Amino acid sequence: MFKTIVDPADCEVRSVIRFLNAKKVKPAEIHRQLVEIYGENVMTDGMVKKWVRQFNDGRTNVHDEARSGRPSIVNDGLVAKVNDKIRENRLFTIRMLFDEFPQISKTVLHEIVTNRFLNYRKLCSRWFPKMLTDVHETK
């Protein structure tokens, strides 16, 4: 039996598809071999067929192409400014922060404050870091 490779890179799997396609192996057989080595969740049969079709149409790059989209406005400087405003007045609301940073939507501000960056949560009408020590909790 073969050794299973866990969590392969996407470009690695596509390289295998390109190699086996060049050897004229059918897409169904390519998928079977991928599942045998990389496991059940590697790629669907339809995706293997899609990549085989693209390689047959002349594609040579196995990496993802650049995608268009709105660039993120969140950076370390902005997170630091938001954190400074919070520390100035812990009784703030997201609405008050929005008044301070009108270029940023309330949703993005809420995301910065709560989940992804600062990890604050509302506690007794004040914002506190999520990770409180026993000393902080008793105060």
Side-chain angles (χ1 to χ4, degrees):
M1 193 68 194
F2 300 108
K3 179 182 173 189
T4 302
I5 299 173
V6 181
D7 199 25
D10 291 339
C11 60
E12 176 184 349
V13 175
R14 294 174 195 151
S15 297
V16 172
I17 294 171
R18 184 174 176 214
F19 173 78
L20 292 174
N21 184 50
K23 290 182 75 171
K24 303 293 184 201
V25 178
K26 296 195 180 297
E29 177 61 20
I30 293 173
H31 181 258
R32 190 194 63 72
Q33 290 182 27
L34 288 173
V35 168
E36 185 177 347
I37 298 298
Y38 294 110
E40 277 298 318
N41 296 328
V42 64
M43 188 180 283
T44 64
D45 189 40
M47 286 303 291
V48 171
K49 290 177 183 176
K50 174 187 165 202
W51 279 102
V52 166
R53 211 173 21 251
Q54 287 184 12
F55 290 135
N56 287 338
D57 290 342
R59 180 174 178 151
T60 58
N61 189 2
V62 294
H63 298 286
D64 289 328
E65 293 178 356
R67 298 179 186 173
S68 63
R70 176 182 280 175
S72 177
I73 62 167
V74 179
N75 57 32
D76 292 337
L78 178 64
V79 172
K81 287 179 187 176
V82 170
N83 194 27
D84 290 342
K85 285 292 178 186
I86 292 170
R87 292 190 182 275
E88 283 177 18
N89 177 14
R90 296 234 180 200
L91 297 174
F92 78 94
T93 62
I94 298 296
R95 170 68 116 167
M96 291 166 62
L97 272 181
F98 179 68
D99 292 340
E100 295 288 329
F101 303 99
Q103 72 276 16
I104 305 168
S105 71
K106 290 179 205 164
T107 307
V108 172
L109 281 171
H110 188 269
E111 190 73 17
I112 289 171
V113 171
T114 58
N115 298 337
R116 291 180 29 208
F117 299 102
L118 296 176
N119 280 336
Y120 285 108
R121 64 182 175 149
K122 203 67 155 165
L123 180 67
C124 298
S125 299
R126 288 184 176 222
W127 288 91
F128 288 96
K130 272 189 180 177
M131 300 301 293
L132 295 176
T133 65
D134 292 335
V135 174
H136 289 117
E137 289 177 356
T138 57
K139 288 182 181 179

